[in-house]
Amino acid sequence: RGPRTPAQVAADAEAAVRVAMADVEASPLWRRLRARLHEAAADADEAGGGKGAPWAWGDVSEVVVLGLGEGGKGGNGRGGRRAARATLPPSPSGSLEAAHAPRHQAALALLLVQRCPRPGGAPPPRLTAADPAFTRADESALAALGASVLPWPAAVARVGDAVAAGTPVLAYLPHCVPGVQEAVLAAAWTPAALPRLALLGNALSTLASRWDSGPPGTRAGGHGGETPAKGLALAALAGA
């Protein structure tokens, strides 16, 4: 068998993600996440005195995914730094076909928009994915599966535009270093917009714990090693 064409590689990546979707859909994690999405809206509505929640799954217009192409290296590895700088070209190591973790994380994102019911029969939210480590096959496969692929600064800007317009957003950050998470928070950093943003990823308390305990030279803060002040502030608020 000779080398595969780019179209064949993309088709194989798409097929691999579809298999992963079946795996994730059969998992207890998926059942818990579906339940929690609806509980979160109910909790927010109750906290607001029944006047409507600023974030509710049925109102979400965008699911924005940052960091799927690391090839399982994790947020503090080469792929995580690549996502933070967004300056290096894609690498075959990030292929959704070849790497288990990104493939299943993409599957979870797709399930959220395709198979998580919304109240009142609302149409599914738009799915956007961004990672400089994506290969062209990854981009083609994600497009065939219904996702838009953008450069990560444009995807972060999409978060900010949506919440500024009063529309809730779910940001899914499975691999991102603190600097990228900080950029997402900065895009929504106003009293009116921030309550319309939900993050699905590493807990902010975990960020705070690692930042406080790690030596300065190993903190992997993202952009230039800067302190993720917004993430740390929210972690402190949540723990108060």
Side-chain angles (χ1 to χ4, degrees), residues 14-211:
E14 178 187 348
V17 173
R18 291 189 185 279
V19 171
M21 289 176 69
D23 290 344
V24 174
E25 192 169 21
S27 70
L29 168 67
W30 171 242
R31 292 191 291 273
R32 290 196 301 268
L33 180 58
R34 283 184 53 170
R36 186 58 192 138
L37 284 172
H38 295 289
E39 290 169 5
D43 291 347
D45 188 46
E46 183 178 352
K51 298 180 181 179
W55 192 97
W57 175 239
D59 298 329
V60 168
S61 66
E62 299 270 358
V63 174
V64 178
V65 188
L66 291 165
L68 286 175
E70 276 69 40
K73 294 179 177 62
N76 292 336
R78 181 182 64 180
R81 292 195 297 272
R82 183 181 295 147
R85 293 199 306 262
T87 57
L88 298 181
S91 165
S93 65
S95 170
L96 296 177
E97 178 196 6
H100 179 275
R103 182 166 65 247
H104 282 74
Q105 287 157 351
L108 178 59
L110 288 158
L111 287 171
L112 282 169
V113 301
Q114 294 180 9
R115 300 181 191 171
C116 192
R118 284 149 61 91
R126 180 166 55 181
L127 177 62
T128 298
D131 195 311
F134 283 152
T135 65
R136 290 186 179 180
D138 292 337
E139 294 176 355
S140 296
L142 288 167
L145 290 161
S148 299
V149 179
L150 294 177
W152 87 260
V156 172
R158 181 166 283 185
V159 173
D161 291 344
V163 295
T167 307
V169 171
L170 175 63
Y172 177 30
L173 314 175
H175 274 300
C176 287
V177 294
V180 175
Q181 179 174 273
E182 192 76 357
V184 173
L185 291 173
W189 201 253
T190 69
L194 191 60
R196 301 189 184 281
L197 173 65
L199 301 180
L200 178 59
N202 291 332
L204 292 172
S205 58
T206 301
L207 164 67
S209 175
R210 291 178 177 173
W211 190 265

